């Protein structure tokens, strides 16, 4: 790779050792070259010096001695330092990306006008407050228009694109011929690819409705709006009220209500950028029909979840169990047969059941499960006398158990879809990390899952991993 040296090697062993160190150096050079392309000129200059130093080392490293070892170690350290520097540079670049807040209309374009209430003025007053709140939280924020000048809406969006803006939120007021219509609605483009504007619109709408107590109207997908169709970043347009509605117009004219609106918009943006985490878990499957429905929803939204399966159903529906694994979800053990009396009769009966389920999962899916969940939770009316001994035995063998801190409460019969969603939202509360309990053998859960996910956009959904801090009763 580097060409033959003109000196004779002292031994075959030293040739092989030197070859190994040269391979390490080549790896370092490759990493540094990639960093040169990715980072700033400062990093590029530093990387070039290291590469030059390594080139000298390659030429001189014809004999294996202590100096060569030290040179390699130093080069490895330098490479790691550059990787760390590059990560810091990327983080800094991300911090410097701006959030653009657009006060709709401006100048000769006043928007909706009712007496002395002009839309452009309300938009600007709300936008200023949003900017102030986000800056106080440390974000870099700019207005798409300053003062009362007219700026063409296409120019506003194109300016944000040139800046590689992080987000774009446009603020407007609504109007309707039917004077009784009121409330907040938010517009986005559902066909925006990877920008995820829908989630931004959901959060801005959700938090603004919470902050104001206003009517939450629909989210509207419209790819024809300039904001939604021309922006390269996640974008939405919020109509914060109807100026055509007298009561809402009077509210919008007050500083207090505009402050509430701004608080909601800022909170929605912050949740979009810094989501909470939910570990969505399903017990008791796989089922003949409903697990596949759940998997379809998760696949459509590119969400990974965790399934605590029952051995007898894995044997009964092996294709569904394999699909869980093939689509990247985490699989854990629930039990082999869901019989509380038999399962918790003794430590030995629990272990016998567990290992039968474990072996089934391994034979069917190839997964050596690392996680388990007690039927009924780790502490329940059936296992009071044995749960501590079971936990000690299982943990001594390297297994981790997970309870939950939020639930759809879908094991109860005759629960409506709306009740399931309400249960999930209420039990999750304001936690930053939620382990959500659901069941993939329940028809209403399968049918409601999409709506449930829409109702909790503040959460980023992840599968359980060995790094996840377990929630335990």
């Amino acid at each position: 790779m580097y060409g033959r040296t003109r000196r004779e090697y002292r031994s075959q062993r030293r040739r092989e050792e030197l070859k190994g160190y040269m391979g390490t150096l080549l790896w370092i050079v490759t990493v540094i070259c990639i960093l040169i392309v990715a980072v700033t000129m400062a990093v590029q200059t530093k990387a070039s010096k290291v590469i030059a130093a390594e080139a000298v080392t390659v030429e001189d490293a014809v004999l294996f001695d202590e100096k060569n070892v030290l040179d390699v170690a130093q080069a490895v350290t330098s490479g790691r330092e550059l990787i760390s520097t590059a990560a810091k540079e990327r983080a800094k670049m991300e911090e410097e990306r701006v959030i653009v807040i657009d006060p709709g209309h401006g100048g000769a374009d006043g928007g909706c006008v009712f007496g002395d209430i002009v839309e452009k003025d309300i938009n600007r007053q709300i936008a200023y407050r949003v900017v102030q709140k986000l800056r106080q939280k440390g974000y870099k924020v700019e207005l798409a228009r300053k003062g009362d000048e007219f700026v063409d809406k296409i120019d506003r969006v194109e300016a944000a694109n040139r800046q590689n803006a992080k987000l774009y939120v446009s603020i407007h007021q609504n109007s309707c011929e039917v004077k009784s219509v009121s409330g907040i609605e938010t517009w986005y483009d559902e066909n925006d690819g990877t920008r995820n504007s829908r989630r931004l619109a959901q959060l801005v709408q959700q938090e603004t409705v919470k902050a104001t107590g206003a009517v939450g109207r629909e989210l509207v997908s419209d790819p024809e709006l300039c904001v939604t169709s021309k922006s390269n970043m996640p974008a939405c347009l919020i109509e914060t009220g109807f100026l055509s509605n007298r009561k809402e117009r009077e509210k919008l004219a007050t500083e207090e209500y505009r402050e509430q609106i701004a608080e909601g918009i800022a909170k929605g943006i912050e949740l979009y950028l810094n989501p909470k985490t939910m570990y969505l878990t399903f017990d008791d499957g796989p089922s003949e029909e409903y697990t596949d429905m759940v998997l379809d929803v998760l696949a459509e939204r590119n969400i990974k979840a965790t399934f605590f399966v029952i051995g007898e159903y894995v044997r009964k529906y092996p294709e569904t169990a394999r699909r869980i694994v093939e689509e990247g979800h985490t699989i854990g053990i629930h039990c082999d047969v869901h019989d509380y009396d038999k399962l918790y009769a003794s430590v030995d009966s629990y272990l016998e059941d567990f290992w039968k389920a474990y072996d089934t999962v391994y034979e069917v899916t190839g997964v050596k499960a690392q996680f388990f969940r007690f039927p009924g939770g780790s502490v329940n009316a059936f296992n009071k006398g044995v749960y501590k001994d079971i936990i000690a035995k299982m943990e001594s063998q390297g297994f981790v158990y997970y309870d939950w801190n939020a639930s759809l409460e879908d094991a109860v019969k005759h629960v409506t879809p709306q009740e399931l969603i309400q249960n999930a939202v209420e039990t999750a509360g304001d936690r930053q990390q939620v382990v959500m309990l659901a069941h993939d053998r329940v028809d209403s859960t399968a049918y409601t899952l999409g709506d449930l996910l829409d109702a909790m956009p503040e959460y980023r959904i992840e599968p359980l991993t060995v790094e996840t801090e377990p929630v335990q009763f």
Side-chain angles (χ1 to χ4, degrees):
M1 187 176 294
Y2 294 104
R4 288 190 172 276
T5 177
R6 295 181 181 179
R7 301 182 185 182
E8 294 181 355
Y9 297 125
R10 293 183 177 181
S11 69
Q12 179 65 28
R13 180 180 61 81
R14 290 180 177 177
R15 281 202 305 272
E16 293 301 323
E17 289 175 339
L18 180 60
K19 182 178 179 180
Y21 279 100
M22 294 304 98
T24 301
L25 284 175
L26 178 60
W27 177 85
I28 295 168
V29 172
T30 302
V31 171
I32 293 173
C33 289
I34 293 172
L35 292 174
I36 290 174
V37 175
V39 303
T40 62
M41 290 300 294
V43 176
Q44 180 180 6
T45 302
K46 185 175 181 180
S48 298
K49 292 179 181 179
V50 174
I51 293 172
E54 291 175 348
V56 173
T57 303
V58 172
E59 289 295 325
D60 292 342
V62 291
L63 295 178
F64 180 75
D65 55 28
E66 293 182 1
K67 181 177 183 302
N68 291 106
V69 175
L70 292 173
D71 287 345
V72 171
Q74 185 177 5
V76 171
T77 301
S78 298
R80 289 173 178 168
E81 288 175 352
L82 280 173
I83 293 172
S84 177
T85 301
K88 291 178 181 178
E89 288 291 333
R90 287 194 296 271
K92 183 178 179 181
M93 290 173 63
E94 180 64 21
E95 288 178 2
E96 291 177 349
R97 292 178 65 197
V98 301
I99 299 169
V100 176
I101 304 299
D102 175 15
H105 305 283
D109 177 12
C112 301
V113 179
F114 288 83
D116 59 350
I117 305 297
V118 182
E119 178 185 353
K120 66 174 183 178
D121 298 330
I122 295 177
N123 296 342
R124 186 175 62 174
Q125 290 159 359
I126 294 172
Y128 281 169
R129 286 174 166 80
V130 174
V131 169
Q132 183 181 29
K133 293 177 183 299
L134 290 173
R135 285 178 177 171
Q136 288 173 350
K137 296 178 182 294
Y139 296 103
K140 187 174 181 180
V141 195
E142 292 183 5
L143 288 165
R145 71 170 171 95
K146 299 175 183 179
D148 190 29
E149 74 275 22
F150 172 80
V151 180
D152 189 273
K153 56 188 176 182
I154 294 179
D155 293 336
R156 303 183 197 203
V157 174
E158 288 181 350
N161 289 340
R162 287 193 299 271
Q163 290 177 286
N164 189 29
K166 189 180 297 185
L167 298 175
Y168 192 104
V169 177
S170 189
I171 298 171
H172 287 257
Q173 308 306 310
N174 223 331
S175 180
C176 181
E177 292 181 358
V178 180
K179 306 302 182 183
S180 61
V181 175
S182 65
I184 297 170
E185 62 186 30
T186 307
W187 298 59
Y188 71 103
D189 177 11
E190 66 182 2
N191 301 313
D192 69 347
T194 60
R195 286 187 289 146
N196 204 4
S197 293
R198 175 179 173 80
R199 182 170 167 269
L200 175 63
Q202 285 177 299
L203 286 167
V204 168
Q205 168 105 345
Q206 171 183 290
E207 296 305 314
T208 308
V209 168
K210 284 182 182 179
T212 60
V215 174
R217 294 173 57 82
E218 60 184 335
L219 292 173
V220 185
S221 174
D222 188 347
E224 301 302 320
L225 285 177
C226 181
V227 168
T228 58
S229 64
K230 303 298 183 183
S231 57
N232 296 336
M233 71 293 300
C236 68
L237 183 152
I238 180 170
E239 303 269 10
T240 68
F242 281 78
L243 292 181
S244 51
N245 181 291
R246 182 181 59 80
K247 290 184 178 179
E248 201 153 66
R249 182 169 67 247
E250 290 174 352
K251 286 184 177 180
L252 286 162
T254 66
E255 290 188 10
E256 179 183 2
Y257 195 68
R258 293 195 293 265
E259 179 72 15
Q260 292 172 354
I261 292 172
E263 182 66 32
I265 294 173
K267 181 68 178 297
I269 291 172
E270 185 176 23
L271 283 172
Y272 180 88
L273 295 173
N274 298 283
K276 304 174 186 179
T277 302
M278 178 192 296
Y279 300 97
L280 182 59
T281 67
F282 295 91
D283 286 5
D284 292 359
S287 66
E288 182 176 14
E289 177 181 3
Y290 302 126
T291 301
D292 282 323
M293 292 176 61
V294 167
L295 290 170
D296 288 343
V297 173
L298 298 178
E300 181 182 350
R301 295 171 182 247
N302 193 28
I303 289 173
K304 307 303 179 188
T306 302
F307 292 79
F308 290 99
V309 297
I310 294 177
E312 68 169 323
Y313 295 131
V314 172
R315 293 189 290 275
K316 194 171 183 179
Y317 308 114
E319 291 301 321
T320 303
R322 281 191 282 268
R323 181 184 172 190
I324 291 172
V325 174
E326 289 167 359
E327 295 187 359
H329 304 287
T330 297
I331 198 165
I333 305 300
H334 197 40
C335 59
D336 192 68
V337 177
H338 212 284
D339 184 338
Y340 283 63
D341 291 327
K342 182 178 179 181
L343 184 66
Y344 294 126
S346 68
V347 174
D348 288 341
S349 64
Y350 180 87
L351 293 175
E352 180 182 356
D353 178 275
F354 174 85
W355 283 111
K356 187 174 182 181
Y358 180 95
D359 291 342
T360 292
V361 169
Y362 179 65
E363 290 168 6
V364 172
T365 70
V367 171
K368 294 182 178 180
Q370 298 174 289
F371 313 123
F372 70 103
R373 173 173 283 162
F374 289 93
S378 61
V379 182
N380 61 68
F382 294 88
N383 70 359
K384 288 182 179 180
V386 294
Y387 79 91
K388 291 182 180 179
D389 293 334
I390 293 173
I391 290 172
K393 189 70 173 178
M394 294 295 290
E395 289 183 339
S396 72
Q397 298 181 63
F399 294 103
V400 180
Y401 72 93
Y402 287 85
D403 289 312
W404 57 90
N405 56 14
S407 174
L408 274 68
E409 299 178 14
D410 53 351
V412 180
K413 293 182 179 180
H414 309 302
V415 183
T416 67
Q418 190 54 46
E419 286 174 329
L420 292 180
I421 295 173
Q422 183 177 347
N423 291 339
V425 172
E426 289 182 353
T427 56
D430 198 34
R431 293 187 182 94
Q432 291 297 312
Q433 181 170 305
V434 167
V435 177
M436 181 68 70
L437 172 64
H439 296 80
D440 55 323
R441 297 190 64 79
V442 178
D443 56 353
S444 56
T445 299
Y447 288 112
T448 307
L449 182 57
D451 291 336
L452 169 68
L453 297 174
D454 285 341
M456 306 183 78
E458 63 268 37
Y459 287 96
R460 175 183 60 242
I461 299 176
E462 302 284 353
L464 294 174
T465 70
V466 292
E467 289 82 21
T468 306
E469 183 71 23
V471 169
Q472 298 172 343
F473 294 159

